[in-house]
Amino acid sequence: MSTLPVIAAFDGSDDSLRALDWALDAARRRAVPLRVVHVRQYAVRVPAGVEVARLPEPEDDPVLARARAHLAGRTDGPVVEYRGPEGTPSAVLPGLGAEAQLMVLGSRGRGGFARLLLGSNGLAAARDAECPVVVVPRPGREVDDAPPQEPGPRVVVGLNVDGPDDAALTFAFTEAALRDARLQVIAAYPWPVQLWAGAVGELVPTGIDQDAVENETRALAEGFLAPHRGRHPGVRAEPYVVPGDAAGHLVAHSKDAELVVVGRHRRRLLAPARLMGSVTHAVLLHAASPVAVVPPAPPEE
């Protein structure tokens, strides 16, 4: 397993304190260092001749001092180091992903609008970082239509059988093993299937049998899960094959889950910018549990 650290992005807010606690536990489970990072923003532009107070050195940074005080006295945790790079958080944090195995942020920091469900820094890190990014939401998010669940820890992962994300599955199985949790694999298929009939100007049913679609989706899901089950025989992985919106099912299953795992889109030739995808974005905005956004594995040569 990688010895790269877990990074906790910290700005002194209550959201970042929750993320710090989550990151501390993640580093302990992985037996790797925890790196607490406060990105100290550049001073604003001022007229010539006006003196601007310099940023404090990292060891004197009051924000990092709050993180140190929060973690003081915890003797069973990992080695903790503190960093205070300068710059804009939305630009600096994604770049730090190259030297971490996991990055953890709160859903919102000190800046931004109070009603936002996800801050710009979390969005930028989840979209651009080279490592998986976990966004920890504020407590009390309501989830509609949450299905009943058996007791015990759960990790939830989304699986698109038309384009499976092996990196997300690998991360989800590993996380379930670290947490001694069962893994719920949500494989949603679009239903009802309709086609646009130009002659009559409306959507019409296709006559496709739903049971056949569901059985095919289940068979594909089982095939994609088989190699991961072989590598993690202690993880109980359960495919849930359901019709309808994948994001809605993932959000519904997020209630009381340890973690929801989703993938990030691979760059395309004609669209080289990094994209998260509509399902991942919706889950980040509405899930009640922490959400891990996993970048795709590098393409094979």
Side-chain angles (χ1 to χ4, degrees):
M1 183 175 290
S2 172
T3 58
L4 291 174
V6 171
I7 288 181
F10 190 78
D11 65 1
S13 65
D14 290 343
D15 282 9
S16 68
L17 283 172
R18 283 186 286 269
L20 179 58
D21 287 335
W22 203 98
L24 180 73
D25 179 67
R28 179 184 59 80
R29 292 178 187 273
R30 290 165 170 77
V32 298
L34 171 65
R35 182 175 297 167
V36 183
V37 175
H38 172 223
V39 181
R40 302 175 300 147
Q41 298 196 56
Y42 295 122
V44 297
R45 292 184 177 273
V46 295
V50 176
E51 292 191 12
V52 179
R54 293 180 58 83
L55 291 170
E57 296 301 319
E59 57 269 21
D60 300 322
D61 187 339
V63 173
L64 291 178
R66 187 180 187 194
R68 288 188 178 94
H70 184 73
L71 299 180
R74 307 195 191 190
T75 58
D76 61 341
V79 173
V80 183
E81 54 190 52
Y82 298 87
R83 301 284 180 87
E86 296 182 14
T88 304
S90 60
V92 172
L93 289 175
L96 297 178
E99 54 190 61
Q101 64 171 277
L102 185 66
M103 184 180 297
V104 186
L105 306 90
S107 56
R108 287 201 307 108
R110 290 190 176 277
F113 298 96
R115 296 180 65 183
L116 285 178
L117 298 176
L118 177 65
S120 59
N121 297 332
L123 181 63
R127 183 191 62 223
D128 296 331
E130 293 185 25
C131 68
V133 173
V134 173
V135 178
V136 180
R138 291 184 170 183
R141 276 192 183 177
E142 297 294 331
V143 172
D144 297 327
D145 302 322
Q149 303 287 350
E150 67 177 76
R154 254 184 324 117
V155 171
V156 180
V157 62
L159 171 60
N160 177 10
V161 298
D162 290 331
D165 189 333
D166 197 64
L169 285 176
T170 297
F171 182 89
F173 269 86
T174 300
E175 196 68 31
L178 289 170
R179 296 174 177 276
D180 194 21
R182 62 191 176 95
L183 181 62
Q184 288 186 316
V185 183
I186 308 300
Y189 60 90
W191 195 264
V193 178
Q194 295 178 317
L195 294 177
W196 179 260
V200 295
E202 60 183 20
L203 292 172
V204 297
T206 62
I208 297 175
D209 180 65
Q210 183 176 0
D211 289 340
V213 174
E214 182 169 322
N215 291 336
E216 179 67 14
T217 302
R218 186 179 303 279
L220 289 170
E222 291 287 357
F224 295 132
L225 294 178
H228 296 278
R229 284 176 168 145
R231 290 190 288 269
H232 297 277
V235 174
R236 175 182 158 201
E238 305 167 327
Y240 285 75
V241 180
V242 287
D245 173 45
H249 289 296
L250 288 166
V251 170
H253 281 78
S254 73
K255 184 177 181 181
D256 299 326
E258 298 270 311
L259 184 68
V260 172
V261 180
V262 288
R264 194 175 74 196
H265 281 184
R266 188 183 300 279
R267 286 182 175 182
R268 294 176 173 83
L269 179 62
L270 299 181
R274 287 191 172 105
L275 300 172
M276 284 198 300
S278 58
V279 171
T280 297
H281 194 258
V283 173
L284 275 172
L285 289 178
H286 300 293
S289 70
V291 177
V293 179
V294 181
E300 296 183 2
E301 295 294 336

